[in-house]
Structures are given as C-alpha cells and as structure tokens.
Amino acid sequence: MTSQLPVDDRPAPPGTDRWRDPALRPEERAEALIPLMSLEEKVAQLVGLWVGADASGEGVAPHQNDLVEHTPPWPDAIRSGLGQLTRPFGTAPVDPTRGARSLAASQAQIVAASRFGIPAQVHEECLTGFAAWRATAFPAPLCWGAAFDPALVEEMAGRIGRSMRAAGVHQGLAPVLDVTRDYRWGRTEETIGEDPYLVGTTGAAYVRGLERSGVVATLKHFAGYSASRGGRNLAPTPMGHRELADVILPPFEMALRLGGARSVMHSYAEIDGVPVAADEGLLTRVLREQWGFEGTLVADYFAVRFLQTLHGVAADAGAAAALALRAGIDVELPTVDAYGAPLMAAVRAGAVGEDLVDRALRRVLIQKIELGLLDGDWRGSPTDVGELILDDDENRQVALRLARQSVILLRNRDGLLPLTADQHVALVGPVADDPLAMLGCYSFPLHIGVRYPEHGIGVEIPSLRTELQRLHPYVTHVPGTAVTGDDTSGIAAAVAAATEADVCVLAVGDRAGLFGRGTSGEGCDAVDLRLPGVQADLVREVLATGTPVVLVVLSGRPYALGPEVDGAAAIVQAFFPGQRGGQALAEVLTGAVNPSGRLPVSVPRHAGGLPGTYLSPVLGRRTEVSSVDPTPAFGFGHGLGYTSFDWTDAEVVGEAPAGADEPVSWPVDGDATVGVTIRNTGSRAGTEVVQLYLHDPVAQTTRPVVRLIGYARVPLKPGDEARVTFEVPADVTSFTGVHGRRIVEPGDVELRLGRSSDDFAARLALRLVGDERQVGHDRQLVSRVRVRPAPERGR
C-alpha cells in the first residue's frame, strides 16, 4: 500500500470564507474550515513531506528515504494540500538565498494546487544554529549548561530564529530537554546537562528566544529517551513513575510554562514496555489534560511506522497510525507514510474515528492561523526574498561569548595556566588541528555537509592550533594519533615534541557523527567512558615525559579522568564549543579570558560502573556495602578560574530561629530568602557561579543527597563584592510521594550555597512547617535570584 493522497478537485464552497477572517479567534476560524474539508484534505494537513531546496531557486523536490515505501511525486503530494515541508535547507547544501527562493516558489505551488490554498508549515533543525549551509554553528547544548547563563542562551536562540524566519521557516526542532542519565548515550552532547533544574531553566530561555523571533519551538524528546538501558540509542527505558515525574518531566513543564513553546516532539523511547508514540497516558492525559498544552504534537522521524517495524505493537501501518493518532500525535514527520493512505483506509473501515482526525487537524490549523498562513494576504513569492546572510558578525560574537563562558577549567596545579609568552608549547593530540572537532552532530557541516565535501564547510571554523598559534609565539604541533583506530605510529613524534617543550597542551576527545560514523552523536553510543581509539595510550606516554601537561578534552560526553590522568597538571574541558570554540579555548589557555564554565555533567573517575549522575540518594554514593566507588573525579557544577573569591555572611534573610539550636521556620506554602556575599579577592576580574542546592535528609521516599534549585553568575572586578539573594518557593522542594502525588512535605531541610554540588560554603538549616501540601502543574517552578553590589563594609 502506498501513501499517496487521493485528489479532491471540488471547488471551495461559495460564501464559506469565515476561516479567512482575521477578526475571528484562531479557534473559530479552524472550526469554520474543518467541516468544509474532505477526508483527503484533512489528512493532508497531518503529514510532512521531506524535500530538498533546488539550487536553481525554482522549487523543491521530495527526498527519497529507504524507511518509506513510497514518496509521491511533488504534484500528487500537494493536490489536497500539505501540512509540513521537512528540512528544505537541512537536506543538502544550498545557497541560502536560492534556497529561500526555491522554498517560496514551492509554497506558491502548494497554494495554487489545492482548493483552500493553505501553505505548508516549514520546519528545520536548529539545535546548534539554523541547520543550513553557511549558517553560524553555535556551541552545542552541553555548552549552554556549562555557561549557567540562560540570558545568553536566549539571545543566541533569538538570533537563530530570526535567521530561520528570514528564510521562510516557521518551526524549529529544538531544544532537546532530555536530562542526561547515562553518559555512554551518544546523544549526551545534545543534552543541556544532568540536572532537571539547569536543563529546564536553560531550555526555557532557548524557547523564549526562538518563540519571540516568530519561530515555533519544539520540545524534544518527550520523554524518557535519555534513560535507555545501557546508554544505547532507542533501547528500552527501565524507569519508574517517580524518576519520570521528578527528573525527566520537569524541564518540559518549565519550557512550556516559562518559555511558551508551541510544539512538542515525542520520543522514540518505550517506557516499561509502552512506546511513547502510543502512550495516551503521557501524550494526552499528562501533556494536555494535566498540563494544559494546546499546541501541536509532532512525531519524531519515522516513529509512527516504528510502532510496527521496531516496537511490534502494530500489525501494519494503518494500525500504527491508529495508535499514534489516538495517543495524541497530530503530525507525522518527516514525510507522508502511515498518516497517508493507511490512515484514510482505517478511517473508512471504521477502525479510526474521523473525530480523532479532526482533533489533530484543529490543532494544526490553529497553529497555522497563528503563523498567518491562513490569512488572505499571505505572500510567499520568490520576489519577496532578498539576499540572506546567515553567518554575520553579530551571530559570531554571540557564538564566541557563549563558547568563552562554557570552557571549564577542572584542574590547575601550581598555576600552570595561563600559559606565559616565554614558554615553548608542544600542541599534540588528534583534535588539536581539526576544525570539525568544535562541532556537534546536529551542526550542518557534520550532519549534512560531510556527505558533500565539494561544497566546503560553508563557515569559517578556526582550529585550536590556528588560534593558539595566533596568540602564542612558540607553538609546535604534532597530532600523535587519530580520534579512532589503533594506529600508534605517531605517538613517538608527539612524545618527542612534548619532551622538548616547556609545556605540552594535549588535546583529545571526540569526532561527532551519526549512526556509528563518529564517536559522539545520534547512534554513536559508547560501551564505556574510555577515550576513543588509542588516545589513552597517547595520554599515558605524554604524561610519562615529565613535561608539565595541560590536558584539553574536547568532547560530546564526559570521559573518565581518574588515576590515569593524575599526572596532568591542568585539565580543561570543552563540549563542542562551536565555530568560535578554537578561539575561546586559546584565549582561556593564554589567559586572555578568565574561565568561568561549570560542569553540567559530572566527570567520572572510572570508565565503568555506570550509569550514575550526581542526583543520587545515599545508597547511590560511596558506601561500605559495595566495592565500587562511584565518586566522580569532578562533580556537577565544578569549575575553576584565574582569580579567587570569598563567600561570607550567608544567612536566611529576615528570619530568626525559634531557639538557638532550632532551624528557621519555612511555611510549606511560603518562600524562604537566603543570601551570601561574594568578594573577588584576586588580582584580575572574574566570574563566580553561585549555586544553591536543596538537601532533604528525611523524606517519605529516598531523595537525592543534594539537587540544584538556583544559581547565578556573578562577574566581579578585583576587590569588588556583590550580595546574591535567592527567594525560594517551598514548591521547589516538592517531589513525588509514596502515593504517587507531588507534595511539599513538612520537615527539616538544608539550603546549601556552594561552588559545586560537592563544595559548599554554607549550609543553612530550615524547617518546612504546616500540613503536607499537594501541588500540581501550576506550582512555582524556580527560585528568584538577585545580584546587587554589596553594601560598603563598616557602615
């Protein structure tokens, strides 16, 4: 059975254009249109078509994929209308201006071909920038988490969104809100981190930036995808309700409520044997009925058909379509398949009610109306498109700022860093002179461009070698090894260079790719956390020279940095910092930039003993009943700089304890305010990242020893100080209790102010007082933070 849509050649009924009236609410316009549409026209709005823009600027052509039995020719595909156009820029390199003109031409064809003249909604990937040739490649999401700076992430997303809108794109498939649970998972590089509060607040900022530019943000991947067994892509997810509710779902809640996302993409996961694509409980009862989400729910690519081919819960494409539609999936992506002829056959046979088609259609039409696609004055002709510049100076500056803030100094014994101008530096390692080592797998050059080498990268991406040699007068480069493979023949030359140098900068890490074509990225999972290839041999041999070593790890996941790297005097971690990442790293190494990044994921001490993150209860940490010590080499939130800070005057503001040894009372429906003074006691300007953690020692279920509930970047000049204040709603202490409800539980807790999840400057005792209180989706989600100049001392 093919997925081609039958043709409806009937003229639009006269006098039925209320759906075009902009004075009516979107819901009213959608309701006016739906009864006028045939089943073919309805279903056509629920599918995408994977296309590639024509370099001539004259149109697009369907993209053939071996996961789809049949892709209809372009004229047939658009005769009844079309819901979405899939990735016209992100399928093959195309000049941006010509691509935009091709897209506009194809939209005009869609409008002319169907009775109602509704343009398609166009979506693209945009995780590390607009996934188009010659578009800025921004830092990967782990860098967003490392920066602890949602405002900068929002600025970046706004710039990405404006580029997309200028090209005619309406929807972006980002951000990824999966909370890292197993570092072996190849898509760890696409996550923001291992803490739901950091992921949620940062992800919501990205959504705000994208949505304010006029682009629909799509939250991915709802939900449970990152907790797959063994860290394997698409493997089953063994997860209980409590972990799902308390760790996995909160970032999606934050991005919907605090960001205003208008679309959600379900995950490929199956949780406890139920594929999410068929899970009505998660996709409808939780997302829509409990949370009140009113936007569109789109399928991850080919996931509807996967209900048949991979999960085995549907006998054929029609049954798969029925399961997905009933669960709540509105649009099948990337291209027409199960939601085409198989779905129509199921409706006509009575296996699927047309009311379910109408339910999905209503959501699709409302979103198109909000985007202006059903307005009578909509225009999309090729003459509307001027020259498009997708990689301008402003974009590159934002990319550089984020890259700088994301570089993490993990260790700096004896002040080896920053490098001094008189030192002779040996720069060795397989990623030292590789521009693509700066990019994640969803950047256009690695996601698409590697298949079209004749087009070139499309943007300038200086390597670490290029930038370090620009900033430092004495740099010798020897690669030593490749990222992968077992060739050790170059190690001797690297050892010789290190031996002759004053300092060796040893750059190791990953090469992002897809489905086994890299060491990090989608489908590039790891069996353990050893460095890929023979890089560990290179590290061992270079450390044995006795030359002081700066180990630079440029990767998409944290690798084990335990006893085998104890000899490294300094360690710097960067997570695919984007096209200006080489400059940012070189500036940190030479001292032009004072590092301020903090770990969004823990760095393990051992390559095995997985999975595990810092969000562990007592028995998930080191105990006397197990010979395995999971204590990380560097904990979540850790990071150093080139200056020093004092933390003083930590207190619960405006409250006094009932007695000398009593905690401060905190109503279960109230706020607690805590503050601390930060002073730069060093000789140069720097930024401290103040982190606030909750410790709940006794609860009705086991709780993480600590979890993040607030943070603030505090830039200070030498000698300056600032007062940092957190207003913490009791709601942020809530968790899923023994009866499956989210509660605020009375009892003693600590608010810990610290430099990281295992380095605390102050522990403030409080007591939540009152009756146990149930909270829901309308609870307060974040702590409010203020950073102000501290009052002058002595007054």
Side-chain angles (χ1 to χ4, degrees), residues 139-510:
L142 279 177
C143 292
W144 314 351
F148 277 74
D149 191 346
L152 182 53
V153 171
E154 182 174 343
E155 183 179 353
M156 174 195 70
R159 299 204 65 83
I160 294 170
R162 286 190 288 276
S163 294
M164 297 172 75
R165 286 299 292 126
V169 177
H170 309 104
Q171 181 171 0
L173 302 188
V176 171
L177 298 181
D178 299 294
V179 178
T180 301
R181 303 300 283 164
D182 189 328
Y183 313 128
R184 295 172 296 181
W185 190 46
R187 302 191 80 166
T188 294
E189 65 166 70
E190 299 177 49
T191 71
I192 295 168
E194 67 183 44
D195 179 89
Y197 189 92
L198 179 64
V199 173
T201 51
T202 305
Y206 181 98
V207 169
R208 287 193 296 271
L210 205 65
E211 288 281 357
R212 287 172 181 171
S213 73
V215 172
V216 174
T218 308
L219 310 183
K220 303 170 28 178
H221 305 88
F222 188 79
Y225 191 24
S226 58
S228 57
R229 185 177 283 119
R232 294 177 58 244
N233 195 39
L234 270 70
T237 297
M239 179 188 295
H241 169 71
R242 189 164 287 103
E243 181 180 357
L244 179 68
D246 290 350
V247 179
I248 301 300
L249 295 184
F252 293 93
E253 291 185 86
M254 289 186 180
L256 291 173
R257 283 186 50 200
L258 307 180
R262 287 180 285 172
S263 190
V264 172
M265 174 179 279
H266 76 84
S267 83
Y268 288 128
E270 59 176 75
I271 302 175
D272 195 24
V274 179
V276 171
D279 191 345
E280 187 176 0
L282 185 61
L283 300 186
T284 294
R285 286 194 289 275
V286 172
L287 180 63
R288 295 198 183 275
E289 296 173 7
Q290 294 180 23
W291 293 4
F293 176 63
E294 296 180 346
T296 57
L297 180 60
V298 301
D300 205 342
Y301 283 14
F302 308 108
V304 176
R305 175 71 76 159
F306 285 170
L307 292 174
Q308 173 199 358
T309 59
L310 297 184
H311 296 294
V313 296
D316 53 34
L323 284 173
L325 192 66
R326 189 172 293 113
I329 295 174
D330 302 317
V331 181
E332 181 183 31
L333 298 179
T335 204
V336 55
D337 183 26
Y339 272 26
L343 175 57
M344 284 190 291
V347 172
R348 291 189 170 115
V352 176
E354 192 167 347
D355 60 318
L356 290 178
V357 173
D358 290 349
R359 182 181 71 172
L361 175 63
R362 185 174 296 108
R363 297 163 183 160
V364 168
L365 292 177
I366 288 173
Q367 189 159 101
K368 286 194 170 187
I369 290 167
E370 291 171 346
L371 291 167
L373 296 180
L374 271 67
D375 292 350
D377 59 354
W378 180 86
R379 294 290 182 270
S381 67
T383 57
D384 293 336
V385 181
E387 183 180 7
L388 284 182
I389 305 297
L390 304 180
D391 181 39
D392 58 22
D393 289 340
E394 290 80 6
N395 277 7
R396 289 190 291 268
Q397 280 302 309
V398 171
L400 177 59
R401 286 164 52 205
L402 184 53
R404 286 168 171 165
Q405 290 186 191
S406 71
V407 176
I408 309 157
L409 179 61
L410 298 180
R411 177 190 295 164
N412 193 22
R413 288 194 193 124
D414 303 320
L416 178 61
L417 290 178
L419 302 171
T420 60
D422 60 340
Q423 291 173 319
H424 287 259
V425 177
L427 176 62
V428 304
V431 301
D433 196 29
D434 182 2
L436 295 182
M438 301 295 162
L439 305 182
C441 76
Y442 267 79
S443 65
F444 186 89
L446 283 176
H447 200 73
I448 301 297
V450 290
R451 302 204 303 269
Y452 301 89
E454 69 277 9
H455 284 77
I457 293 176
V459 292
E460 182 184 4
I461 309 176
S463 68
L464 174 57
R465 175 190 180 183
T466 297
E467 290 297 319
L468 191 58
Q469 289 180 332
R470 182 176 63 84
L471 296 177
H472 197 283
Y474 309 113
V475 177
T476 301
H477 170 251
V478 178
T481 67
V483 170
T484 58
D486 56 4
D487 184 1
T488 60
S489 61
I491 291 180
V495 167
T499 302
E500 296 170 1
D502 297 317
V503 177
C504 177
V505 175
L506 174 53
V508 297
D510 277 319

Side-chain angles (χ1 to χ4, degrees), residues 113-135:
S114 57
R115 281 201 305 155
F116 296 103
I118 301 172
Q121 188 164 326
V122 183
H123 76 261
E124 279 289 358
E125 298 286 356
C126 59
L127 188 64
T128 57
F130 182 14
W133 193 49
R134 296 181 178 171

